[in-house]
Amino acid sequence: MTGSNVRKAIFPVAGLGTRFLPATKAVPKELLTLVDRPLIQYAMDEARDAGIEQFIFVTSRGKTNLEDYFDAAPELEASLAERGKKRLLEAVRRTTLDAGQIASVRQHRPLGLGHAVWCARHLIGDEPFAVMLPDDVVASAKPCLKQMVEVHAETGGSVIAAMEVAPEQTESYGILDVMSSTGRVAPVRRIVEKPKPSEAPSNLAVIGRYILTPDIFDHLSAGTRGAGGEIQLTDAIAAEIDEGRNVFAYRFSGQRFDCGSKAGFLQATVAFALADPDLGAEFDDYLHAVIAMRKAAE
Ligand code: UTP
């Protein structure tokens, strides 16, 4: 047992979110809402449940309302308290972080995920840290990042959340070549960004949850462009593996939704609506009625 001390998380949110245009012209993708919580809130709640104490956003122009979202709302809270709306008051209070718990840095140009993470280097210092992409929402009994923090406490090194994808989808992911293992954790031998199915070493894909060690910044500093001309986090992790550092893939327990795509976002909306205690039964009836109508029309 090496002990885990993952206190800081980076949330790279400086991307353009082009797949949701025109909405993302004015609303950051991370503020798009699954039922009643924006994507960023799911990520923050997961991080908090995993013991994260410092939340670092890598933002860009046009994302100030994302920072405002986590600010205190004294007038709103007072009004809800006055009207006895306890549940809503609690929900609003959960969005507020203590002063000093949140920090943000700007990524001036969207040069890639690796570059976004590098922008936060001065706020990380010399300790392991998490990276969470709010696009990836994971529904699980134990929060995905918490599972990973526990693995990191056992293994040390870097831990990457992984899941099997359809072989024809490898071009959308970082793909892992792992040493054989019986459990959920496997040492990574190689990592490749967005390989063609014919060149992919497996169909084990990286999703947007990482625990990394600060030496990754040495590799990111080189600013080497990779797939799509972007500075890729995957390439810096590959360089670490080449140096002999320990990197582990972790097949997390839970269901991941790719909320960076419209189809994934809609699937997550349905899943979270069905799971909602106030909404679930009514929404279930509605879905059944829709399916029955479609069948009758065939
Ligand atoms: P995506 O690849 O989903 O890009 O980034 P995007 O711009 O958000 O969305 P599309 O593809 O145009 O629709 C994955 C994550 O990395 C962040 C994004 O904000 C998102 O959380 N990112 C990406 C940055 O912060 N900076 C970058 O330069 C690139």
Side-chain angles (χ1 to χ4, degrees):
M1 185 100 177
T2 56
S4 175
N5 188 21
V6 185
R7 300 181 309 125
K8 298 181 180 178
I10 300 176
F11 299 83
V13 290
L16 298 174
T18 54
R19 283 171 287 174
F20 284 92
L21 281 170
T24 44
K25 183 175 167 228
V27 183
K29 176 172 64 173
E30 300 75 22
L31 286 183
L32 298 180
T33 302
L34 294 178
V35 185
D36 54 9
R37 273 195 287 163
L39 293 181
I40 192 69
Q41 181 78 52
Y42 286 87
M44 296 288 282
D45 287 345
E46 184 182 327
R48 221 179 334 212
D49 288 346
I52 297 297
E53 295 163 7
Q54 291 184 33
F55 303 78
I56 302 162
F57 290 94
V58 181
T59 68
S60 55
R61 276 184 299 285
K63 300 255 178 172
T64 39
N65 47 358
L66 193 59
E67 289 162 44
D68 291 344
Y69 175 78
F70 291 106
D71 212 337
E75 295 87 1
L76 176 61
E77 288 186 25
S79 158
L80 291 172
E82 206 174 288
R83 289 153 59 198
K85 306 259 181 197
K86 278 195 183 156
R87 270 179 71 190
L88 287 178
L89 183 59
E90 239 168 70
V92 168
R93 285 199 174 136
R94 242 188 108 66
T95 66
T96 309
L97 290 164
D98 284 345
Q101 265 198 305
I102 197 160
S104 71
V105 289
R106 286 272 173 121
Q107 185 189 27
H108 297 150
R109 283 187 296 149
L111 297 180
L113 178 59
H115 182 260
V117 169
W118 179 77
C119 289
R121 65 199 179 284
H122 295 305
L123 296 173
I124 292 296
D126 192 23
E127 56 184 289
F129 61 97
V131 174
M132 298 186 74
L133 306 192
D135 301 14
D136 277 335
V137 176
V138 183
S140 54
K142 183 188 279 189
C144 181
L145 190 66
K146 189 170 184 171
Q147 297 173 40
M148 294 173 68
V149 166
E150 289 174 5
V151 170
H152 175 75
E154 292 287 334
T155 60
S158 301
V159 180
I160 303 174
M163 62 180 263
E164 257 90 25
V165 295
E168 62 275 13
Q169 289 179 348
T170 58
E171 271 181 288
S172 304
Y173 294 91
I175 298 291
L176 298 163
D177 176 11
V178 296
M179 293 179 208
S180 65
S181 69
T182 43
R184 290 181 177 274
V185 182
V188 179
R189 199 165 18 213
R190 198 155 63 96
I191 180 169
V192 194
E193 184 63 21
K194 300 188 171 69
K196 290 195 175 79
S198 58
E199 288 161 15
S202 76
N203 64 335
L204 187 62
V206 174
I207 69 139
R209 301 282 183 282
Y210 308 77
I211 292 177
L212 301 173
T213 52
D215 41 79
I216 193 89
F217 293 120
D218 298 339
H219 298 290
L220 290 172
S221 297
T224 312
R225 306 283 180 133
E230 295 192 344
I231 300 169
Q232 298 285 358
L233 187 58
T234 303
D235 294 340
I237 296 171
E240 290 209 291
I241 296 169
D242 287 347
E243 261 180 0
R245 292 191 186 270
N246 287 330
V247 177
F248 299 93
Y250 172 63
R251 290 181 173 87
F252 60 95
S253 149
Q255 188 180 6
R256 172 260 189 177
F257 296 95
D258 173 12
C259 293
S261 77
K262 284 183 220 174
F265 190 90
L266 290 171
Q267 286 158 17
T269 301
V270 171
F272 283 92
L274 286 173
D276 187 286
D278 296 332
L279 209 62
E282 186 187 341
F283 193 62
D284 201 355
D285 288 347
Y286 170 73
L287 288 182
H288 277 98
V290 170
I291 291 163
M293 264 192 302
R294 286 176 67 96
K295 281 217 170 113
E298 275 170 14

mmCIF file of all heavy atoms in Angstrom, residues 11 13 20 28-46 66 69-70 132-137 209 257-261 264-265 268-269 272:
data_model
loop_
_atom_site.group_PDB
_atom_site.id
_atom_site.type_symbol
_atom_site.label_atom_id
_atom_site.label_comp_id
_atom_site.label_asym_id
_atom_site.label_seq_id
_atom_site.Cartn_x
_atom_site.Cartn_y
_atom_site.Cartn_z
ATOM 1 N N PHE A 11 -10.150 20.324 -14.463
ATOM 2 C CA PHE A 11 -11.304 20.151 -15.348
ATOM 3 C C PHE A 11 -11.025 20.942 -16.624
ATOM 4 O O PHE A 11 -11.176 22.174 -16.630
ATOM 5 C CB PHE A 11 -12.577 20.695 -14.679
ATOM 6 C CG PHE A 11 -12.911 19.987 -13.393
ATOM 7 C CD1 PHE A 11 -12.297 20.365 -12.199
ATOM 8 C CD2 PHE A 11 -13.821 18.953 -13.379
ATOM 9 C CE1 PHE A 11 -12.585 19.710 -11.008
ATOM 10 C CE2 PHE A 11 -14.111 18.285 -12.190
ATOM 11 C CZ PHE A 11 -13.496 18.663 -11.006
ATOM 12 N N VAL A 13 -11.970 22.594 -19.689
ATOM 13 C CA VAL A 13 -13.266 22.983 -20.267
ATOM 14 C C VAL A 13 -13.089 24.107 -21.295
ATOM 15 O O VAL A 13 -13.957 24.959 -21.444
ATOM 16 C CB VAL A 13 -14.272 23.394 -19.154
ATOM 17 C CG1 VAL A 13 -14.687 22.189 -18.346
ATOM 18 C CG2 VAL A 13 -13.705 24.474 -18.235
ATOM 19 N N PHE A 20 -22.113 20.720 -30.508
ATOM 20 C CA PHE A 20 -23.392 21.226 -29.993
ATOM 21 C C PHE A 20 -23.711 22.632 -30.492
ATOM 22 O O PHE A 20 -24.533 23.332 -29.910
ATOM 23 C CB PHE A 20 -23.416 21.181 -28.460
ATOM 24 C CG PHE A 20 -23.631 19.790 -27.929
ATOM 25 C CD1 PHE A 20 -22.556 18.986 -27.622
ATOM 26 C CD2 PHE A 20 -24.909 19.287 -27.768
ATOM 27 C CE1 PHE A 20 -22.742 17.695 -27.152
ATOM 28 C CE2 PHE A 20 -25.114 17.997 -27.297
ATOM 29 C CZ PHE A 20 -24.026 17.193 -26.987
ATOM 30 N N PRO A 28 -21.639 27.378 -22.637
ATOM 31 C CA PRO A 28 -20.582 26.362 -22.637
ATOM 32 C C PRO A 28 -21.185 24.959 -22.584
ATOM 33 O O PRO A 28 -22.184 24.741 -21.895
ATOM 34 C CB PRO A 28 -19.816 26.655 -21.345
ATOM 35 C CG PRO A 28 -20.179 28.037 -20.952
ATOM 36 C CD PRO A 28 -21.542 28.299 -21.513
ATOM 37 N N LYS A 29 -20.570 24.038 -23.317
ATOM 38 C CA LYS A 29 -21.065 22.654 -23.349
ATOM 39 C C LYS A 29 -21.260 22.103 -21.941
ATOM 40 O O LYS A 29 -22.203 21.380 -21.656
ATOM 41 C CB LYS A 29 -20.052 21.807 -24.129
ATOM 42 C CG LYS A 29 -20.352 20.341 -24.185
ATOM 43 C CD LYS A 29 -19.416 19.603 -25.135
ATOM 44 C CE LYS A 29 -17.970 19.626 -24.693
ATOM 45 N NZ LYS A 29 -17.112 18.764 -25.537
ATOM 46 N N GLU A 30 -20.346 22.488 -21.042
ATOM 47 C CA GLU A 30 -20.360 21.938 -19.677
ATOM 48 C C GLU A 30 -21.550 22.418 -18.863
ATOM 49 O O GLU A 30 -21.812 21.912 -17.784
ATOM 50 C CB GLU A 30 -19.059 22.311 -18.952
ATOM 51 C CG GLU A 30 -17.798 21.790 -19.615
ATOM 52 C CD GLU A 30 -17.400 22.548 -20.888
ATOM 53 O OE1 GLU A 30 -17.823 23.712 -21.079
ATOM 54 O OE2 GLU A 30 -16.658 21.961 -21.704
ATOM 55 N N LEU A 31 -22.262 23.443 -19.377
ATOM 56 C CA LEU A 31 -23.465 23.895 -18.674
ATOM 57 C C LEU A 31 -24.742 23.305 -19.283
ATOM 58 O O LEU A 31 -25.843 23.601 -18.814
ATOM 59 C CB LEU A 31 -23.551 25.428 -18.661
ATOM 60 C CG LEU A 31 -22.580 26.136 -17.707
ATOM 61 C CD1 LEU A 31 -22.804 27.645 -17.734
ATOM 62 C CD2 LEU A 31 -22.703 25.631 -16.274
ATOM 63 N N LEU A 32 -24.607 22.480 -20.305
ATOM 64 C CA LEU A 32 -25.790 21.787 -20.827
ATOM 65 C C LEU A 32 -26.262 20.823 -19.743
ATOM 66 O O LEU A 32 -25.463 20.268 -18.988
ATOM 67 C CB LEU A 32 -25.450 21.036 -22.122
ATOM 68 C CG LEU A 32 -24.991 21.916 -23.294
ATOM 69 C CD1 LEU A 32 -24.686 21.054 -24.510
ATOM 70 C CD2 LEU A 32 -26.035 22.967 -23.645
ATOM 71 N N THR A 33 -27.569 20.635 -19.681
ATOM 72 C CA THR A 33 -28.165 20.037 -18.483
ATOM 73 C C THR A 33 -28.743 18.649 -18.709
ATOM 74 O O THR A 33 -29.527 18.450 -19.638
ATOM 75 C CB THR A 33 -29.279 20.994 -17.995
ATOM 76 O OG1 THR A 33 -28.670 22.255 -17.739
ATOM 77 C CG2 THR A 33 -29.933 20.501 -16.742
ATOM 78 N N LEU A 34 -28.373 17.713 -17.860
ATOM 79 C CA LEU A 34 -29.021 16.402 -17.813
ATOM 80 C C LEU A 34 -30.073 16.476 -16.712
ATOM 81 O O LEU A 34 -29.719 16.574 -15.535
ATOM 82 C CB LEU A 34 -28.018 15.305 -17.445
ATOM 83 C CG LEU A 34 -26.896 14.998 -18.438
ATOM 84 C CD1 LEU A 34 -25.983 13.908 -17.870
ATOM 85 C CD2 LEU A 34 -27.461 14.555 -19.774
ATOM 86 N N VAL A 35 -31.313 16.476 -17.063
ATOM 87 C CA VAL A 35 -32.463 16.644 -16.164
ATOM 88 C C VAL A 35 -32.397 18.011 -15.480
ATOM 89 O O VAL A 35 -32.974 18.962 -15.964
ATOM 90 C CB VAL A 35 -32.600 15.488 -15.151
ATOM 91 C CG1 VAL A 35 -33.891 15.663 -14.328
ATOM 92 C CG2 VAL A 35 -32.639 14.140 -15.870
ATOM 93 N N ASP A 36 -31.692 18.153 -14.363
ATOM 94 C CA ASP A 36 -31.641 19.473 -13.725
ATOM 95 C C ASP A 36 -30.243 19.884 -13.274
ATOM 96 O O ASP A 36 -30.071 20.882 -12.600
ATOM 97 C CB ASP A 36 -32.617 19.549 -12.529
ATOM 98 C CG ASP A 36 -32.382 18.415 -11.544
ATOM 99 O OD1 ASP A 36 -31.371 17.692 -11.690
ATOM 100 O OD2 ASP A 36 -33.202 18.244 -10.623
ATOM 101 N N ARG A 37 -29.264 19.069 -13.637
ATOM 102 C CA ARG A 37 -27.888 19.412 -13.257
ATOM 103 C C ARG A 37 -27.041 19.564 -14.508
ATOM 104 O O ARG A 37 -27.068 18.693 -15.379
ATOM 105 C CB ARG A 37 -27.278 18.282 -12.413
ATOM 106 C CG ARG A 37 -27.559 18.392 -10.948
ATOM 107 C CD ARG A 37 -26.649 17.471 -10.141
ATOM 108 N NE ARG A 37 -26.990 16.073 -10.260
ATOM 109 C CZ ARG A 37 -26.156 15.075 -9.927
ATOM 110 N NH1 ARG A 37 -24.946 15.337 -9.474
ATOM 111 N NH2 ARG A 37 -26.526 13.833 -10.047
ATOM 112 N N PRO A 38 -26.232 20.628 -14.613
ATOM 113 C CA PRO A 38 -25.341 20.727 -15.767
ATOM 114 C C PRO A 38 -24.226 19.679 -15.688
ATOM 115 O O PRO A 38 -23.891 19.197 -14.602
ATOM 116 C CB PRO A 38 -24.779 22.142 -15.672
ATOM 117 C CG PRO A 38 -24.989 22.581 -14.280
ATOM 118 C CD PRO A 38 -26.138 21.797 -13.729
ATOM 119 N N LEU A 39 -23.657 19.366 -16.841
ATOM 120 C CA LEU A 39 -22.604 18.334 -16.895
ATOM 121 C C LEU A 39 -21.510 18.602 -15.875
ATOM 122 O O LEU A 39 -21.023 17.689 -15.214
ATOM 123 C CB LEU A 39 -21.971 18.305 -18.294
ATOM 124 C CG LEU A 39 -22.850 17.844 -19.450
ATOM 125 C CD1 LEU A 39 -22.043 17.860 -20.740
ATOM 126 C CD2 LEU A 39 -23.412 16.453 -19.192
ATOM 127 N N ILE A 40 -21.123 19.862 -15.730
ATOM 128 C CA ILE A 40 -20.005 20.182 -14.836
ATOM 129 C C ILE A 40 -20.342 19.819 -13.388
ATOM 130 O O ILE A 40 -19.467 19.429 -12.612
ATOM 131 C CB ILE A 40 -19.591 21.670 -14.963
ATOM 132 C CG1 ILE A 40 -18.248 21.924 -14.269
ATOM 133 C CG2 ILE A 40 -20.648 22.615 -14.445
ATOM 134 C CD1 ILE A 40 -17.075 21.301 -14.941
ATOM 135 N N GLN A 41 -21.627 19.913 -13.033
ATOM 136 C CA GLN A 41 -22.014 19.578 -11.656
ATOM 137 C C GLN A 41 -21.838 18.078 -11.381
ATOM 138 O O GLN A 41 -21.419 17.677 -10.298
ATOM 139 C CB GLN A 41 -23.465 20.001 -11.422
ATOM 140 C CG GLN A 41 -23.976 19.712 -10.014
ATOM 141 C CD GLN A 41 -23.486 20.720 -8.998
ATOM 142 O OE1 GLN A 41 -23.633 21.902 -9.219
ATOM 143 N NE2 GLN A 41 -22.902 20.259 -7.906
ATOM 144 N N TYR A 42 -22.154 17.250 -12.381
ATOM 145 C CA TYR A 42 -21.941 15.804 -12.210
ATOM 146 C C TYR A 42 -20.465 15.533 -11.935
ATOM 147 O O TYR A 42 -20.113 14.745 -11.062
ATOM 148 C CB TYR A 42 -22.389 15.032 -13.462
ATOM 149 C CG TYR A 42 -23.901 14.928 -13.609
ATOM 150 C CD1 TYR A 42 -24.628 15.928 -14.240
ATOM 151 C CD2 TYR A 42 -24.590 13.837 -13.102
ATOM 152 C CE1 TYR A 42 -26.009 15.845 -14.373
ATOM 153 C CE2 TYR A 42 -25.972 13.742 -13.232
ATOM 154 C CZ TYR A 42 -26.680 14.752 -13.871
ATOM 155 O OH TYR A 42 -28.045 14.666 -13.986
ATOM 156 N N ALA A 43 -19.601 16.204 -12.700
ATOM 157 C CA ALA A 43 -18.154 15.988 -12.531
ATOM 158 C C ALA A 43 -17.687 16.489 -11.166
ATOM 159 O O ALA A 43 -16.896 15.833 -10.478
ATOM 160 C CB ALA A 43 -17.395 16.695 -13.649
ATOM 161 N N MET A 44 -18.186 17.666 -10.764
ATOM 162 C CA MET A 44 -17.778 18.235 -9.471
ATOM 163 C C MET A 44 -18.246 17.351 -8.316
ATOM 164 O O MET A 44 -17.514 17.123 -7.354
ATOM 165 C CB MET A 44 -18.374 19.625 -9.283
ATOM 166 C CG MET A 44 -17.903 20.630 -10.273
ATOM 167 S SD MET A 44 -16.210 21.098 -9.995
ATOM 168 C CE MET A 44 -16.413 22.219 -8.635
ATOM 169 N N ASP A 45 -19.476 16.852 -8.408
ATOM 170 C CA ASP A 45 -20.001 15.989 -7.342
ATOM 171 C C ASP A 45 -19.163 14.714 -7.241
ATOM 172 O O ASP A 45 -18.835 14.252 -6.142
ATOM 173 C CB ASP A 45 -21.472 15.627 -7.600
ATOM 174 C CG ASP A 45 -22.406 16.807 -7.363
ATOM 175 O OD1 ASP A 45 -21.968 17.800 -6.740
ATOM 176 O OD2 ASP A 45 -23.571 16.753 -7.800
ATOM 177 N N GLU A 46 -18.819 14.171 -8.403
ATOM 178 C CA GLU A 46 -17.996 12.950 -8.404
ATOM 179 C C GLU A 46 -16.628 13.224 -7.777
ATOM 180 O O GLU A 46 -16.125 12.433 -6.976
ATOM 181 C CB GLU A 46 -17.841 12.455 -9.852
ATOM 182 C CG GLU A 46 -17.088 11.142 -9.946
ATOM 183 C CD GLU A 46 -16.888 10.686 -11.397
ATOM 184 O OE1 GLU A 46 -17.751 10.940 -12.256
ATOM 185 O OE2 GLU A 46 -15.832 10.063 -11.649
ATOM 186 N N LEU A 66 -19.531 29.794 -16.595
ATOM 187 C CA LEU A 66 -19.177 28.512 -15.971
ATOM 188 C C LEU A 66 -18.592 28.767 -14.574
ATOM 189 O O LEU A 66 -18.931 28.078 -13.609
ATOM 190 C CB LEU A 66 -18.150 27.811 -16.861
ATOM 191 C CG LEU A 66 -17.837 26.359 -16.612
ATOM 192 C CD1 LEU A 66 -19.076 25.504 -16.744
ATOM 193 C CD2 LEU A 66 -16.798 25.890 -17.618
ATOM 194 N N TYR A 69 -21.239 29.931 -12.171
ATOM 195 C CA TYR A 69 -22.152 28.871 -11.728
ATOM 196 C C TYR A 69 -21.786 28.388 -10.315
ATOM 197 O O TYR A 69 -22.661 28.032 -9.535
ATOM 198 C CB TYR A 69 -22.114 27.701 -12.733
ATOM 199 C CG TYR A 69 -22.931 26.520 -12.283
ATOM 200 C CD1 TYR A 69 -24.322 26.512 -12.405
ATOM 201 C CD2 TYR A 69 -22.315 25.414 -11.681
ATOM 202 C CE1 TYR A 69 -25.073 25.442 -11.951
ATOM 203 C CE2 TYR A 69 -23.059 24.341 -11.231
ATOM 204 C CZ TYR A 69 -24.431 24.354 -11.375
ATOM 205 O OH TYR A 69 -25.175 23.298 -10.912
ATOM 206 N N PHE A 70 -20.499 28.402 -9.986
ATOM 207 C CA PHE A 70 -20.068 27.891 -8.682
ATOM 208 C C PHE A 70 -19.959 28.977 -7.607
ATOM 209 O O PHE A 70 -19.547 28.720 -6.487
ATOM 210 C CB PHE A 70 -18.728 27.143 -8.810
ATOM 211 C CG PHE A 70 -18.884 25.873 -9.574
ATOM 212 C CD1 PHE A 70 -18.428 25.759 -10.869
ATOM 213 C CD2 PHE A 70 -19.525 24.794 -8.991
ATOM 214 C CE1 PHE A 70 -18.610 24.586 -11.579
ATOM 215 C CE2 PHE A 70 -19.712 23.607 -9.691
ATOM 216 C CZ PHE A 70 -19.249 23.513 -10.986
ATOM 217 N N MET A 132 -10.431 15.371 -15.031
ATOM 218 C CA MET A 132 -11.792 14.903 -15.301
ATOM 219 C C MET A 132 -12.382 15.656 -16.472
ATOM 220 O O MET A 132 -12.438 16.890 -16.448
ATOM 221 C CB MET A 132 -12.692 15.141 -14.083
ATOM 222 C CG MET A 132 -12.241 14.387 -12.850
ATOM 223 S SD MET A 132 -13.426 14.569 -11.532
ATOM 224 C CE MET A 132 -14.760 13.515 -12.094
ATOM 225 N N LEU A 133 -12.829 14.933 -17.477
ATOM 226 C CA LEU A 133 -13.523 15.570 -18.597
ATOM 227 C C LEU A 133 -15.022 15.502 -18.328
ATOM 228 O O LEU A 133 -15.589 14.412 -18.263
ATOM 229 C CB LEU A 133 -13.196 14.852 -19.913
ATOM 230 C CG LEU A 133 -11.719 14.694 -20.267
ATOM 231 C CD1 LEU A 133 -11.575 14.239 -21.715
ATOM 232 C CD2 LEU A 133 -10.944 15.976 -20.046
ATOM 233 N N PRO A 134 -15.649 16.664 -18.157
ATOM 234 C CA PRO A 134 -17.071 16.658 -17.796
ATOM 235 C C PRO A 134 -17.978 16.048 -18.868
ATOM 236 O O PRO A 134 -19.095 15.659 -18.566
ATOM 237 C CB PRO A 134 -17.400 18.143 -17.594
ATOM 238 C CG PRO A 134 -16.098 18.844 -17.502
ATOM 239 C CD PRO A 134 -15.095 18.022 -18.221
ATOM 240 N N ASP A 135 -17.469 15.941 -20.109
ATOM 241 C CA ASP A 135 -18.261 15.294 -21.181
ATOM 242 C C ASP A 135 -18.591 13.853 -20.846
ATOM 243 O O ASP A 135 -19.583 13.311 -21.304
ATOM 244 C CB ASP A 135 -17.449 15.160 -22.470
ATOM 245 C CG ASP A 135 -16.968 16.429 -23.028
ATOM 246 O OD1 ASP A 135 -17.016 17.418 -22.312
ATOM 247 O OD2 ASP A 135 -16.545 16.411 -24.201
ATOM 248 N N ASP A 136 -17.673 13.207 -20.138
ATOM 249 C CA ASP A 136 -17.892 11.815 -19.778
ATOM 250 C C ASP A 136 -18.601 11.765 -18.439
ATOM 251 O O ASP A 136 -18.033 12.149 -17.411
ATOM 252 C CB ASP A 136 -16.545 11.066 -19.691
ATOM 253 C CG ASP A 136 -16.068 10.599 -21.050
ATOM 254 O OD1 ASP A 136 -16.914 10.404 -21.945
ATOM 255 O OD2 ASP A 136 -14.846 10.424 -21.222
ATOM 256 N N VAL A 137 -19.829 11.304 -18.473
ATOM 257 C CA VAL A 137 -20.607 11.177 -17.232
ATOM 258 C C VAL A 137 -20.704 9.685 -16.931
ATOM 259 O O VAL A 137 -21.047 8.892 -17.812
ATOM 260 C CB VAL A 137 -22.003 11.800 -17.393
ATOM 261 C CG1 VAL A 137 -22.837 11.580 -16.141
ATOM 262 C CG2 VAL A 137 -21.882 13.292 -17.679
ATOM 263 N N ARG A 209 -11.218 10.170 -17.392
ATOM 264 C CA ARG A 209 -10.845 10.193 -15.972
ATOM 265 C C ARG A 209 -9.406 9.695 -15.868
ATOM 266 O O ARG A 209 -9.116 8.567 -16.299
ATOM 267 C CB ARG A 209 -11.718 9.244 -15.142
ATOM 268 C CG ARG A 209 -13.207 9.505 -15.163
ATOM 269 C CD ARG A 209 -13.585 10.660 -14.254
ATOM 270 N NE ARG A 209 -15.008 10.873 -14.225
ATOM 271 C CZ ARG A 209 -15.714 11.495 -15.172
ATOM 272 N NH1 ARG A 209 -15.119 11.966 -16.253
ATOM 273 N NH2 ARG A 209 -17.017 11.649 -15.051
ATOM 274 N N PHE A 257 -21.450 7.587 -20.192
ATOM 275 C CA PHE A 257 -22.177 8.227 -21.288
ATOM 276 C C PHE A 257 -21.259 9.271 -21.927
ATOM 277 O O PHE A 257 -20.665 10.096 -21.216
ATOM 278 C CB PHE A 257 -23.432 8.933 -20.764
ATOM 279 C CG PHE A 257 -24.437 7.978 -20.178
ATOM 280 C CD1 PHE A 257 -24.457 7.731 -18.811
ATOM 281 C CD2 PHE A 257 -25.351 7.317 -20.988
ATOM 282 C CE1 PHE A 257 -25.372 6.838 -18.265
ATOM 283 C CE2 PHE A 257 -26.270 6.432 -20.452
ATOM 284 C CZ PHE A 257 -26.284 6.188 -19.090
ATOM 285 N N ASP A 258 -21.166 9.241 -23.231
ATOM 286 C CA ASP A 258 -20.359 10.227 -23.953
ATOM 287 C C ASP A 258 -21.222 11.453 -24.228
ATOM 288 O O ASP A 258 -21.844 11.567 -25.281
ATOM 289 C CB ASP A 258 -19.853 9.613 -25.268
ATOM 290 C CG ASP A 258 -19.147 10.653 -26.125
ATOM 291 O OD1 ASP A 258 -18.852 11.758 -25.618
ATOM 292 O OD2 ASP A 258 -18.901 10.369 -27.317
ATOM 293 N N CYS A 259 -21.249 12.366 -23.262
ATOM 294 C CA CYS A 259 -22.122 13.539 -23.389
ATOM 295 C C CYS A 259 -21.505 14.623 -24.261
ATOM 296 O O CYS A 259 -22.078 15.702 -24.418
ATOM 297 C CB CYS A 259 -22.481 14.077 -22.007
ATOM 298 S SG CYS A 259 -23.517 12.919 -21.103
ATOM 299 N N GLY A 260 -20.349 14.353 -24.848
ATOM 300 C CA GLY A 260 -19.773 15.264 -25.846
ATOM 301 C C GLY A 260 -20.408 15.049 -27.210
ATOM 302 O O GLY A 260 -20.195 15.830 -28.130
ATOM 303 N N SER A 261 -21.173 13.959 -27.348
ATOM 304 C CA SER A 261 -21.883 13.703 -28.612
ATOM 305 C C SER A 261 -23.383 13.823 -28.357
ATOM 306 O O SER A 261 -23.847 13.576 -27.237
ATOM 307 C CB SER A 261 -21.553 12.305 -29.134
ATOM 308 O OG SER A 261 -22.278 11.328 -28.405
ATOM 309 N N GLY A 264 -24.978 10.422 -27.270
ATOM 310 C CA GLY A 264 -24.628 10.063 -25.890
ATOM 311 C C GLY A 264 -25.343 10.956 -24.883
ATOM 312 O O GLY A 264 -25.801 10.496 -23.829
ATOM 313 N N PHE A 265 -25.458 12.224 -25.226
ATOM 314 C CA PHE A 265 -26.131 13.175 -24.340
ATOM 315 C C PHE A 265 -27.607 12.788 -24.172
ATOM 316 O O PHE A 265 -28.149 12.800 -23.061
ATOM 317 C CB PHE A 265 -26.009 14.590 -24.923
ATOM 318 C CG PHE A 265 -26.452 15.662 -23.981
ATOM 319 C CD1 PHE A 265 -25.558 16.258 -23.116
ATOM 320 C CD2 PHE A 265 -27.778 16.054 -23.945
ATOM 321 C CE1 PHE A 265 -25.965 17.240 -22.226
ATOM 322 C CE2 PHE A 265 -28.198 17.027 -23.053
ATOM 323 C CZ PHE A 265 -27.291 17.626 -22.193
ATOM 324 N N ALA A 268 -27.928 9.683 -22.029
ATOM 325 C CA ALA A 268 -27.747 10.022 -20.604
ATOM 326 C C ALA A 268 -29.002 10.693 -20.062
ATOM 327 O O ALA A 268 -29.436 10.416 -18.938
ATOM 328 C CB ALA A 268 -26.536 10.941 -20.438
ATOM 329 N N THR A 269 -29.603 11.568 -20.868
ATOM 330 C CA THR A 269 -30.826 12.249 -20.427
ATOM 331 C C THR A 269 -31.908 11.226 -20.092
ATOM 332 O O THR A 269 -32.564 11.311 -19.042
ATOM 333 C CB THR A 269 -31.326 13.206 -21.536
ATOM 334 O OG1 THR A 269 -30.281 14.152 -21.800
ATOM 335 C CG2 THR A 269 -32.577 13.952 -21.119
ATOM 336 N N PHE A 272 -30.868 9.216 -16.842
ATOM 337 C CA PHE A 272 -30.978 9.976 -15.593
ATOM 338 C C PHE A 272 -32.430 10.363 -15.298
ATOM 339 O O PHE A 272 -32.831 10.420 -14.142
ATOM 340 C CB PHE A 272 -30.052 11.195 -15.610
ATOM 341 C CG PHE A 272 -28.619 10.823 -15.351
ATOM 342 C CD1 PHE A 272 -27.747 10.545 -16.387
ATOM 343 C CD2 PHE A 272 -28.146 10.701 -14.051
ATOM 344 C CE1 PHE A 272 -26.426 10.163 -16.150
ATOM 345 C CE2 PHE A 272 -26.830 10.320 -13.796
ATOM 346 C CZ PHE A 272 -25.963 10.046 -14.848
#
